């Protein structure tokens, strides 16, 4: 609509300009003895129209610039609001998991710490590390769908209860893959209990058919599981956990990832276990992982 108005105004001004120029031309060409006064009048008319044309053009260009600035500002505000909404969704999901089972959330922060160290040792780029960290915080989100009497059971689980627990990667995948801004982590969530030799779940995938990030994750998850208390046994030392992981290289765990665990060493991994208890020492905080923390 504004463009039509601008075009009609410009047409009117240009028309007036050409009309003035035409009359001046006629006066000059038809009358040999044209007075200086008439030349001044017609020249003045042409100049006045030109000035008007320039004023209108300037006004419209300034107005256009202003409209563009307003549009850019609105787009930036919309992007900021969208980013805040995404961060809010992540926080809400994490809070839901934390409320449901606090132990799972604390476990997730430690797993992120180990997974980040293994990923850095392996030379994964920052983008992959971001993806891995976000998947780490959300990996057990599917436990929301496991009944309380199974999830919080203190005694040993019955086989059918284990089957219910084993559904959590698929439930987590169903939740996460619907969220466009985190659905790149859905595969890691789905496959974080697969074993290198095909003995894991939910699909029994083997070797390199399991994405590297999911293989890293499986090792990190196991390190924390071994060093945590269980209803049927106390927590084991980090030294024991590293030995256990090494003994299962090529079976439960990817040999490449196990080598990185060995290279990191017991002392470094124990330090990570302590560091993640302090939120300010987390390399990636959950809310900073959306669009690189923009
Ligand atoms: Fe899990």
């Amino acid at each position: 609509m504004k463009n039509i108005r601008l075009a009609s105004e410009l047409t009117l001004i240009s028309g007036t300009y050409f009309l003035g120029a035409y009359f001046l031309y006629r006066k000059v060409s038809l009358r040999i003895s044209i007075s200086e006064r008439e030349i001044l009048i017609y020249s003045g008319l042409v100049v006045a129209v030109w000035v008007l044309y320039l004023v209108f053009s300037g006004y419209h260009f300034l107005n256009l610039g202003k409209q563009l600035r307003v549009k850019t500002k609105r787009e930036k505000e919309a992007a900021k609001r969208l980013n805040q909404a995404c961060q809010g969704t992540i926080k809400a999901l994490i809070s839901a998991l934390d409320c449901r089972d606090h132990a799972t959330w604390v476990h997730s922060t430690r797993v992120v710490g180990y997974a980040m160290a293994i990923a850095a040792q392996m030379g994964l780029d920052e983008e992959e590390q971001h993806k891995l960290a976000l998947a780490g915080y959300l990996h057990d989100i599917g436990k929301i769908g496991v009944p309380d009497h199974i999830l919080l059971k203190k005694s040993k689980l019955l086989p059918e209860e284990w089957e219910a627990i084993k559904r959590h990667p698929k439930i987590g995948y169903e939740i996460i893959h619907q969220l466009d801004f985190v659905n790149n982590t859905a595969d890691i969530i789905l496959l974080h209990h697969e074993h290198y030799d095909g003995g894991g779940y939910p699909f029994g995938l083997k070797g390199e058919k399991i994405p590297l990030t999911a293989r890293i994750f499986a090792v990190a998850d196991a390190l924390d599981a071994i060093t945590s208390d269980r209803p049927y046994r106390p927590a084991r030392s980090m030294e024991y956990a590293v030995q256990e992981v090494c003994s299962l290289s090529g079976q439960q765990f990817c040999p490449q990832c196990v080598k990185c665990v060995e290279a990191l060493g017991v002392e470094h991994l124990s330090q990570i276990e302590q560091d993640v208890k302090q939120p300010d020492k987390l390399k990636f905080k959950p809310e900073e992982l959306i669009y690189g923390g923009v």
Side-chain angles (χ1 to χ4, degrees), residues 2 4 7 43 109 127 169 176 190 202 205 244 266 276:
K2 278 179 182 168
I4 294 170
S43 302
T109 58
E127 194 183 335
I176 296 302
L190 180 64
L205 295 183
E244 184 76 359
V266 173
V276 295

Side-chain angles (χ1 to χ4, degrees), residues 64 150 188:
L64 204 64
I150 299 174
I188 304 176

Side-chain angles (χ1 to χ4, degrees), residues 111-185:
V111 172
V112 170
Y114 300 137
M116 290 299 94
I118 298 168
Q121 182 72 23
M122 205 168 265
L124 259 68
D125 62 30
E126 195 86 347
E127 194 183 335
E128 285 292 287
Q129 288 190 36
H130 264 226
K131 192 168 95 173
L132 196 57
L134 193 52
Y137 285 118
L138 298 170
H139 76 283
D140 275 337
I141 196 76
K143 285 188 177 170
I144 286 174
V146 178
D148 270 354
H149 71 275
I150 299 174
L151 185 66
L152 307 175
K153 191 174 176 183
K154 298 288 176 203
S155 54
K156 207 166 181 177
L157 295 174
L158 299 169
E160 62 270 24
E161 291 170 335
W162 259 118
E163 288 309 310
I165 289 277
K166 283 160 78 174
R167 283 197 285 274
H168 79 272
K170 279 189 176 175
I171 299 171
Y173 176 85
E174 289 301 323
I175 296 170
I176 296 302
H177 97 280
Q178 295 179 61
L179 299 171
D180 183 56
F181 59 98
V182 285
N183 66 8
N184 61 344
T185 65

Side-chain angles (χ1 to χ4, degrees), residues 19-38:
L19 208 62
Y22 171 72
F23 280 118
L24 179 61
Y25 168 77
R26 275 198 64 190
K27 287 281 177 189
V28 172
S29 61
L30 297 177
R31 293 174 56 187
I32 300 187
S33 58
I34 187 166
S35 71
E36 285 179 355
R37 191 165 164 267
E38 279 176 308

Side-chain angles (χ1 to χ4, degrees), residues 18-251:
F18 284 113
L19 208 62
Y22 171 72
F23 280 118
L24 179 61
Y25 168 77
R26 275 198 64 190
K27 287 281 177 189
V28 172
S29 61
L30 297 177
R31 293 174 56 187
I32 300 187
S33 58
I34 187 166
S35 71
E36 285 179 355
R37 191 165 164 267
E38 279 176 308
I39 290 176
L40 271 174
I41 289 169
Y42 287 115
S43 302
L45 183 63
V46 171
V47 170
V49 171
W50 255 114
V51 169
L52 266 174
Y53 174 77
L54 290 174
V55 167
F56 269 95
S57 304
Y59 167 76
H60 280 294
F61 279 118
L62 283 174
N63 208 24
L64 204 64
K66 193 180 163 191
Q67 281 171 18
L68 277 174
R69 281 195 298 278
V70 170
K71 198 178 166 200
T72 310
K73 195 180 165 195
R74 273 194 205 138
E75 280 172 354
K76 275 186 182 169
E77 279 169 4
K80 194 177 164 190
R81 276 200 298 275
L82 178 65
N83 197 31
Q84 282 169 345
C86 294
Q87 289 182 3
T89 307
I90 291 297
K91 283 180 185 169
L93 284 172
I94 286 169
S95 300
L97 183 60
D98 194 19
C99 289
R100 187 74 204 290
D101 182 13
H102 182 66
T104 297
W105 166 242
V106 178
H107 155 73
S108 298
T109 58
R110 287 192 300 258
V111 172
V112 170
Y114 300 137
M116 290 299 94
I118 298 168
Q121 182 72 23
M122 205 168 265
L124 259 68
D125 62 30
E126 195 86 347
E127 194 183 335
E128 285 292 287
Q129 288 190 36
H130 264 226
K131 192 168 95 173
L132 196 57
L134 193 52
Y137 285 118
L138 298 170
H139 76 283
D140 275 337
I141 196 76
K143 285 188 177 170
I144 286 174
V146 178
D148 270 354
H149 71 275
I150 299 174
L151 185 66
L152 307 175
K153 191 174 176 183
K154 298 288 176 203
S155 54
K156 207 166 181 177
L157 295 174
L158 299 169
E160 62 270 24
E161 291 170 335
W162 259 118
E163 288 309 310
I165 289 277
K166 283 160 78 174
R167 283 197 285 274
H168 79 272
K170 279 189 176 175
I171 299 171
Y173 176 85
E174 289 301 323
I175 296 170
I176 296 302
H177 97 280
Q178 295 179 61
L179 299 171
D180 183 56
F181 59 98
V182 285
N183 66 8
N184 61 344
T185 65
D187 280 352
I188 304 176
I189 291 167
L190 180 64
L191 304 173
H192 76 273
H193 282 293
E194 295 288 352
H195 291 178
Y196 196 75
D197 61 3
Y201 64 89
F203 304 115
L205 295 183
K206 266 187 182 180
E208 312 225 329
K209 285 192 176 162
I210 308 165
L212 179 61
T213 42
R215 282 182 269 146
I216 292 175
F217 201 80
V219 176
D221 202 16
L223 281 174
D224 190 62
I226 298 167
T227 52
S228 300
D229 282 322
R230 286 287 181 266
Y232 47 91
R233 61 148 176 83
R236 306 278 167 80
S237 69
M238 185 58 78
E239 196 177 354
Y240 179 93
V242 171
Q243 280 172 7
E244 184 76 359
V245 163
C246 291
S247 71
L248 294 170
S249 176
Q251 298 167 48

Side-chain angles (χ1 to χ4, degrees), residues 270-282:
S270 302
Q271 188 59 50
I272 293 169
E273 188 181 10
Q274 297 307 313
D275 285 350
V276 295
K277 289 177 186 165
Q278 303 166 50
D280 58 308
K281 287 203 173 179
L282 291 175

